Amino acid sequence: MKPEVGLETTLSNSSPQERQQEHLTHGLILFDSRYSVIGFEPLLYGNVDSAFLYRREIIKAALDADASAVITAHYPRDGNLNPDKTDIALIKGLEASLEAINVRLVDHLIICGTESVSFAEQGLLK
């Protein structure tokens, strides 16, 4: 089951020309202990050449919102929906960091256009 909070629209409405400019590449959906959405945080803006994401920004956003769970998502710069080794390592490290502060990483989504890949559905998360 994929969340229906409009994230795909947020991340996929850019034209090829707009993708050359800065746009949202990573987002965070925040949940309370009952898994009700309590917020959305755009985490990172970048362009096709560069985008960097820092775990501490996600942890800070989760703590600031008093979130019990989160879903992260990103729009791949190259349009490839398949998670690569870097994606997997980053998300597994993030999952461990969030676990240390009692916040559950429910899923990480790679979104491109109207298609998406779920780390949870692929068994890449605990």
Side-chain angles (χ1 to χ4, degrees), residues 24-30 40-46 51-67 70-72 90 94 97-98 101 103:
L24 179 64
T25 60
H26 291 77
L28 177 68
I29 304 167
L30 302 146
F40 171 77
E41 289 289 327
L43 287 177
L44 180 68
Y45 288 85
F52 299 98
L53 182 66
Y54 297 101
R55 266 186 241 171
R56 68 178 169 252
E57 293 176 23
I58 295 171
I59 292 167
K60 182 181 182 317
L63 289 171
D64 287 349
D66 198 25
V70 299
I71 293 176
T72 57
L90 175 71
L94 175 61
S97 296
L98 288 168
I101 60 165
V103 174

Side-chain angles (χ1 to χ4, degrees), residues 26 74 76 78 80-93 108 110 119 124:
H26 291 77
H74 84 270
D78 61 3
N80 183 359
L81 283 172
N82 298 317
D84 61 23
K85 291 179 184 179
T86 303
D87 293 330
I88 294 168
L90 175 71
I91 298 307
K92 287 198 174 283
H108 176 76
I110 301 176
F119 274 48
L124 297 172

